[in-house]
Amino acid sequence: MNINTSTSTSTSTAAGPSRPSPTTRTANSSTTQQSGSLWNEIMGSADGQKGLGRKNLIVLSERHHGRTHLLSQLNVSSKKKRSFKASRNGKKGLALGYEVLDISDGDEDSVPPLSVFYPPSSHPSLLKLVSRALPPKSLADTAAVIILDWTKPSSIVQELLTWLSWIDQWASNNAERGELEELKERLQSHIQHYTEPSPTTTTGTAAYAGAGALLPLGQGTLTLNSSGIPITVVCTRADLMDSVGEEVGMKGGGWEERTDWIQQVLRTICLAYGASLFYTAPAQPTTYTLLRSYLLHRLYTIPPPLNTTSSTTDPATQHVSSTRFPFPHRANVLDRDAVMVPSGWDSWGKINVLREGFDPSRIGKAFENSLHRFKGDEDDEGETLEGIWEGMIPYIERGVKPSSSSAPTIPETEQSFLTRQLDVLLKDPNRDPRQSFRHAAATVVGPMSGSEGLNLPGVEKALGEMEGLEKGEELKEKFARLSRKDSTRNGPLSPPITSPGATGNAMPNEALHNFFQGLLANRSKTGTPSATPAKSGEGK
């Protein structure tokens, strides 16, 4: 009996687990169920690893916000980094950018690269190309990244309104029937199943562990995101926020309060959309590593459905999630240049802890009013976030201030510009250059000052050339008549004769003036034919 039993046991062992003996199956029924459940879970996890499909990332940013540097840092492969930077040369004129990020990390398992699509700016004609470039039926495999620049804090609210409105419109236009409801339910499940890793955790699992009954959503959580698209708001150049404060004369605690207020506003908006918030800085390389890890985690990790209960024991109905891209990192809101707020962690209470006096309900309502006005849905008189923002953050944009109107500026033609300048010159009374000579002659100080200051030979010659030969002859005759009057009184070359008692009446300046007038008269008589006989007679 014992021999037959051992023979049967050895035979069943050799046959493998597909043909177990009745005795063994009866004795180890509970162990078989546990091992089968574990085996099904392992196989399901392996199938999930092999079934990783291609994911898409839409990067939304205005020009000169650090997008190129951010994408190069997200690509961890050194070879890909060089090729990425080289491929950016000469691509400023593209209507839609496309890059590929390698996420294999040298693993043997093949993982499709991450496709990145990015329009150069928020121009409507460029945003229309995003839907055409994405693969069909890829809405569930797509996440969005909104890039904001910390060196341009004045435009943060307007850019958020632009990009968040576009995401809702784009998702609603490209979603199939019932797809948006499924995506929003998946996002809500991610938020409700989120558990913060412990401080001692070094490696984490991306699978959502059963945490019992789910808590309802908190105040202001997931109230605006109607599409369910995973959104990550990235604020670049966070290490330059203090230099921005120096530009407006705010240093120390005053500017630090403003930056904390900006963080609270961004966290309130991200909480309403179920989005995450990341600060990146070249001085903090780990910020790019954490952002890359989180994006892959959100793209490749699917939360369990909301209708799954903890009492479900059927292995076939249990949710199996990929554990390839875990994110075991805790939130960070204390480091001003390395803020990291994962989706599902934040709440109004945590936002108020950062700095007292902040009202998240007021900010949330103001942002909803701004969003309605931006979309043109309502024209109410409620408070908007733009007005609150302008009162807290002064306009400190670097570069040209953006114009409020979208109408193109038409430059003035060259001929019209020259004609307008000619009219201005003709109306200018000081355009005649001869005025400068008259002004200089009138301001002469010394013997030649006074009303006869224009009798200088140099001025006479210059004015003669300007007025013409005929007018110059008239001036010469005028000077000759004046000199004749003086010569008949004192002689042509003799200085004025003064009596000893008349010293106080004759001034030295007048004597010199008369002497030079005599010289001019003698020159005029020598140069004219009528004056020659008189001169010879006087010589005799």
Side-chain angles (χ1 to χ4, degrees), residues 13-262:
T13 304
S18 60
R19 295 180 182 179
S21 64
T23 306
T24 307
R25 180 169 47 226
T26 303
N28 302 324
S29 59
S30 61
T31 305
T32 304
Q33 291 179 358
Q34 294 179 359
S35 61
S37 176
L38 180 61
W39 179 254
N40 290 334
E41 183 177 354
I42 294 174
M43 292 299 295
S45 178
D47 292 340
Q49 298 281 5
K50 294 180 180 179
L52 294 178
R54 187 159 193 149
K55 304 297 181 179
N56 307 302
L57 189 66
I58 302 177
V59 180
L60 303 174
S61 170
E62 297 291 351
R63 299 182 187 273
H64 310 296
H65 276 28
R67 175 180 52 211
T68 303
H69 179 72
L70 177 65
L71 293 178
S72 64
Q73 293 296 321
L74 293 180
N75 201 1
V76 295
S77 176
S78 59
K79 295 182 179 179
K80 292 295 181 178
K81 278 186 179 181
R82 288 194 296 268
S83 62
F84 178 84
K85 292 181 179 180
S87 64
R88 287 295 303 146
N89 295 331
K91 285 192 176 182
K92 294 182 179 180
L94 291 180
L96 182 66
Y98 174 77
E99 299 292 346
V100 176
L101 299 184
D102 185 16
I103 59 176
S104 61
D105 294 343
D107 200 344
E108 295 180 357
D109 295 338
S110 61
V111 180
L114 183 63
S115 299
V116 181
F117 302 87
Y118 54 93
S121 65
S122 60
H123 196 277
S125 61
L126 301 176
L127 295 177
K128 292 179 180 179
L129 302 175
V130 177
S131 301
R132 300 178 180 272
L134 286 172
K137 300 180 180 180
S138 61
L139 194 63
D141 299 326
T142 304
V145 174
I146 299 176
I147 298 180
L148 306 175
D149 191 352
W150 244 113
T151 62
K152 303 176 179 64
S154 305
S155 60
I156 285 180
V157 176
Q158 189 64 31
E159 292 179 11
L160 283 175
L161 292 172
T162 302
W163 296 124
L164 292 174
S165 301
W166 179 83
I167 290 175
D168 290 339
Q169 182 181 4
W170 162 75
S172 59
N173 294 337
N174 293 273
E176 298 181 355
R177 184 176 181 179
E179 188 176 8
L180 292 183
E181 290 76 7
E182 295 178 1
L183 292 178
K184 188 170 184 179
E185 181 180 345
R186 180 191 297 182
L187 181 59
Q188 180 179 349
S189 176
H190 168 79
I191 295 174
Q192 291 182 296
H193 283 91
Y194 176 84
T195 55
E196 187 175 14
S198 61
T200 58
T201 302
T202 57
T203 59
T205 173
Y208 295 87
L214 298 178
L215 297 177
L217 296 175
Q219 288 183 316
T221 304
L222 200 60
T223 58
L224 295 178
N225 193 346
S226 59
S227 61
I229 298 295
I231 301 174
T232 302
V233 178
V234 180
C235 296
T236 60
R237 301 168 183 169
D239 54 342
L240 299 178
M241 63 174 65
D242 291 334
S243 63
V244 174
E246 295 177 358
E247 293 182 4
V248 294
M250 294 184 182
K251 297 181 180 181
W255 180 245
E256 186 176 349
E257 291 181 1
R258 306 294 177 95
T259 57
D260 290 342
W261 183 83
I262 293 176

Side-chain angles (χ1 to χ4, degrees), residues 257-317:
E257 291 181 1
R258 306 294 177 95
T259 57
D260 290 342
W261 183 83
I262 293 176
Q263 182 191 144
Q264 289 177 308
V265 173
L266 293 177
R267 288 170 60 183
T268 303
I269 298 175
C270 290
L271 184 64
Y273 275 85
S276 55
L277 177 64
F278 280 76
Y279 284 13
T280 60
Q284 298 282 350
T286 55
T287 56
Y288 300 102
T289 304
L290 293 176
L291 175 61
R292 180 182 184 276
S293 178
Y294 183 78
L295 291 176
L296 297 179
H297 169 71
R298 293 292 287 116
L299 282 170
Y300 289 96
T301 304
I302 301 176
L306 289 176
N307 55 5
T308 301
T309 59
S310 58
S311 60
T312 303
T313 56
D314 188 4
T317 60

Side-chain angles (χ1 to χ4, degrees), residues 220 253 487:
S487 62

